[in-house]
Amino acid sequence: MSEGAQSPTSTARRVIQRGLWFEEFVEGTVYEHRPGRTVTEADNVLFTTLTMNTQALHLDAAWSAQQPGFGGQRLINSMFTLSTIVGLSVSQLTQGTLVANLGFSEVSFPAPLFAGDTLYAETECTGIRESRSRPGEGVVNLLHVGRNQDGVVVARAARATLVRKRPDD
């Protein structure tokens, strides 16, 4: 090893990326997830075909161009949008600390998302409580919101999660 190099067993501080422990969530806090994700036509076609969603609004450019209301564009699959806003939150909130998704509710898509749009996500912690049946874990309620590059809300979803408490050191 060269002079001045640190060995892997040195006392250098090491940080492993993780989500928040149950105790670190604060009700009312809004977490902004960056970077955003620019959505492509390939994303839409791949996700739509992988999930066997044959909706022509996602797949058929000629047919979609004849439909009113979307300026002749194909819509991004709303399930891709939902999956992406949740996915954008993982590294900041639940990486390695999530036990399970307990459920989604109040899912809505108030505006369309199109290929070329950039999707940004934010999550508000709307409630926390200790699990009544699973010691060492707690229920965290989250409200995920997706916005396009213009700040227009394109998706919302309330989500209940089961999160680990901080382990005893």
Side-chain angles (χ1 to χ4, degrees):
M1 190 173 293
S2 66
E3 188 175 324
Q6 293 184 339
S7 71
T9 58
S10 74
T11 58
R13 184 164 190 247
R14 299 179 69 84
V15 177
I16 297 174
Q17 183 173 332
R18 64 162 172 84
L20 302 178
W21 300 114
F22 172 77
E23 296 87 351
E24 293 175 300
F25 280 95
V26 176
E27 190 169 344
T29 300
V30 175
Y31 303 90
E32 294 182 0
H33 314 300
R34 299 296 183 269
R37 172 70 158 76
T38 300
V39 179
T40 68
E41 181 178 337
D43 294 327
N44 191 47
V45 172
L46 179 61
F47 185 90
T48 298
T49 56
L50 283 173
T51 57
M52 300 297 292
N53 180 342
T54 60
Q55 175 53 253
L57 281 170
H58 305 312
L59 294 173
D60 187 329
W63 185 84
S64 295
Q66 303 301 315
Q67 305 311 306
F70 302 113
Q73 297 185 71
R74 284 181 283 166
L75 296 175
I76 295 297
N77 186 313
S78 59
M79 294 297 99
F80 176 86
T81 304
L82 176 61
S83 296
T84 303
I85 65 172
V86 171
L88 286 167
S89 77
V90 169
S91 63
Q92 188 175 15
L93 299 181
T94 61
Q95 179 68 46
T97 58
L98 181 79
V99 177
N101 281 319
L102 300 176
F104 286 85
S105 62
E106 303 171 35
V107 176
S108 65
F109 303 97
L113 189 68
F114 301 106
D117 285 345
T118 300
L119 184 58
Y120 294 96
E122 60 190 48
T123 303
E124 180 179 358
C125 176
T126 58
I128 51 177
R129 69 169 177 81
E130 292 192 22
S131 173
R132 292 187 273 277
S133 61
R134 295 179 62 116
E137 298 168 359
V139 175
V140 178
N141 294 308
L142 304 168
L143 176 62
H144 297 286
V145 176
R147 298 177 191 276
N148 69 13
Q149 66 279 357
D150 298 320
V152 175
V153 174
V154 297
R156 275 193 182 87
R159 176 179 168 216
T161 63
L162 190 62
V163 177
R164 289 184 179 90
K165 289 185 175 181
R166 182 186 307 274
D168 296 328
D169 293 329

